[in-house]
Amino acid sequence: MAQTVAVCSLCLIVAFVSVSLCYSQGSTKHLKDIVLGRCWDFQRQKAHDVSTKNCSKIWETFYTAFAYKDPCNTTFADYASYFDEIGMDIVKPNKSLFWSGTYKEAHLFSDFDVRFTTLEDTMAGWIVNGLTWCGTKTNTSDGINYSSCPKQTTSCDYSTPFWGQASKRFAENASGIVRVMVNGTRMGSEHPIPAYRRDSFFGRYELPNFHVDRITRLIILVVHNIDGPDLESCGNGSIKLLQKDACDRGINTTCHDDPDDVRHLLCADQPRSRECWFFNGGTKKVTQPTEDDNRSWKLVAIIMLGIVAAFCLMAAVIGVVCVKTRRGKCIDSFNYRKHATDIEHET
């Protein structure tokens, strides 16, 4: 009996683990309220940059793309109406910023469309960024699965129909000088991850969909983690492949390793890191005082104090002499006995 219970328990554990490996958390709670709220809030914040949108219609086109459907069977075509409705109004010339493996760095740099514009800074990306959603046929109330969504796999890649199409549309609207920020320090569990991969979102949906006649130049920004290894940099590794792929499409490129403006943003969180002691043309901008520096300053301070003390002493001596001299003159001027004698002679 005990053995039977043990075997059953083991089977239940195995079944639970198997289900856990196949499914992740469910759709974000209050998904509709969040999307509608973000839709209105985006228009409030970007009133001068976007035309007025119908948030109810945007939600409906988004909702019908996946609700009551098997997540693994959603397609690019399902989300076409959503992107047609919401548009890409905010994308301006020379401001498009693409990224790969640098989500945090890219969005610090873009500052929600203040400096540059990422996909997640557009209305299409912003109102659903960080949310999870998937449909189900079993929830007859609204067709959304709030308990569990499938794990992302090659056989069930239900997020790519949305984000892949978003990337494609974002790239199609880019113009002028375009930037891409990649990570030159990416490490997997065992091996380094190339900064540029042809099967990444940038490699599959963005670079191939640039309108070359509207692109002036592609600036590649290679960012390295603070105190991390510089695995790849401009002109080598996968960065060289990226430059080749862009060149093959007729796009001129320039490349920069750890631009100062990006490095300053990263160093705001780690100011004491050695890599945040900035150099410019070999001249140190920020230094840590050495022991010799401290000794030099102490010596200078002692000398200055000595000089000040000497001046104070001289001033005191001169002051005493002056006071005595003036006092003597005052006594001569007001010698009442001599004054009385002079009066007697006069009388």
Side-chain angles (χ1 to χ4, degrees):
M1 181 66 179
Q3 291 179 342
T4 303
V5 172
V7 171
C8 291
S9 299
L10 181 60
C11 290
L12 288 172
I13 292 172
V14 171
F16 177 78
V17 171
S18 299
V19 170
S20 299
L21 291 173
C22 294
Y23 289 88
S24 62
Q25 64 179 3
S27 299
T28 304
K29 303 295 183 184
H30 310 293
L31 181 64
K32 179 179 180 179
D33 295 334
I34 294 172
V35 171
L36 287 172
R38 286 185 179 183
C39 178
W40 289 115
D41 190 44
F42 187 93
Q43 294 182 82
R44 177 189 64 82
Q45 295 189 62
K46 304 294 181 182
H48 300 294
D49 297 317
V50 296
S51 57
T52 303
K53 306 291 183 181
N54 185 330
C55 291
S56 296
K57 193 169 183 180
I58 286 173
W59 163 253
E60 285 301 320
T61 56
F62 174 70
Y63 169 71
T64 55
F66 69 92
Y68 296 104
K69 296 178 182 178
D70 181 345
C72 302
N73 293 331
T74 54
T75 65
F76 275 63
D78 291 330
Y79 289 101
S81 296
Y82 168 79
F83 289 104
D84 290 341
E85 181 66 30
I86 203 166
M88 285 279 176
D89 298 6
I90 201 172
V91 183
K92 301 295 188 294
N94 304 317
K95 290 195 68 175
S96 298
L97 175 62
F98 298 84
W99 59 272
S100 185
T102 55
Y103 178 88
K104 175 185 175 182
E105 295 83 354
H107 291 90
L108 278 173
F109 193 37
S110 72
D111 194 18
F112 191 27
D113 190 48
V114 173
R115 300 186 189 92
F116 300 101
T117 307
T118 67
L119 170 59
E120 294 76 17
D121 294 331
T122 67
M123 190 174 186
W126 192 78
I127 65 175
V128 296
N129 189 32
L131 304 180
T132 302
W133 65 90
C134 64
T136 179
K137 296 179 180 180
T138 59
N139 181 1
T140 56
S141 61
D142 63 2
I144 300 176
N145 192 336
Y146 294 103
S147 58
S148 62
C149 291
K151 287 281 189 181
Q152 288 286 135
T153 62
T154 53
S155 60
C156 185
D157 187 4
Y158 62 93
S159 68
T160 295
F162 179 88
W163 289 110
Q165 185 164 182
S167 295
K168 178 177 179 292
R169 301 246 183 164
F170 183 52
E172 289 172 343
N173 282 271
S175 62
I177 297 175
V178 175
R179 294 164 178 82
V180 59
M181 184 181 292
V182 296
N183 191 339
T185 319
R186 293 186 76 184
M187 283 293 298
S189 57
E190 297 180 358
H191 304 288
I193 300 175
Y196 167 69
R197 293 174 294 118
R198 285 175 171 169
D199 62 350
S200 66
F201 273 81
F202 180 74
R204 291 164 62 192
Y205 302 110
E206 293 171 341
L207 180 59
N209 285 293
F210 286 151
H211 289 296
V212 178
D213 57 325
R214 298 171 56 191
I215 303 297
T216 306
R217 180 162 37 106
L218 173 64
I219 298 178
I220 303 168
L221 307 174
V222 185
V223 177
H224 301 95
N225 296 343
I226 301 296
D227 294 332
D230 292 359
L231 301 177
E232 291 185 298
S233 56
C234 292
N236 62 53
S238 65
I239 309 299
K240 192 173 183 178
L241 178 62
L242 169 55
Q243 291 174 305
K244 178 183 181 301
D245 286 351
C247 183
D248 289 345
R249 292 216 61 218
I251 302 173
N252 295 322
T253 66
T254 56
C255 187
H256 303 278
D257 286 313
D258 296 314
D260 283 348
D261 41 7
V262 178
R263 179 62 63 167
H264 277 282
L265 290 171
L266 300 182
C267 283
D269 293 331
Q270 302 184 56
R272 296 186 180 277
S273 169
R274 178 173 293 275
E275 291 191 30
C276 295
W277 302 353
F278 294 107
F279 287 82
N280 185 14
T283 303
K284 210 171 191 180
K285 293 182 181 177
V286 180
T287 61
Q288 296 291 322
T290 63
E291 188 175 347
D292 290 338
D293 292 334
N294 290 332
R295 288 176 181 172
S296 298
W297 280 110
K298 287 179 181 178
L299 180 60
V300 171
I302 291 171
I303 293 172
M304 293 300 296
L305 286 173
I307 294 172
V308 171
F311 272 109
C312 289
L313 182 60
M314 290 175 62
V317 171
I318 293 171
V320 170
V321 172
C322 288
V323 168
K324 286 184 177 181
T325 303
R326 293 181 64 185
R327 184 176 295 173
K329 290 181 179 179
C330 289
I331 291 172
D332 289 341
S333 301
F334 297 96
N335 191 326
Y336 293 106
R337 183 176 297 175
K338 184 176 181 297
H339 183 62
T341 304
D342 292 341
I343 292 175
E344 288 177 359
H345 285 301
E346 289 177 2
T347 56

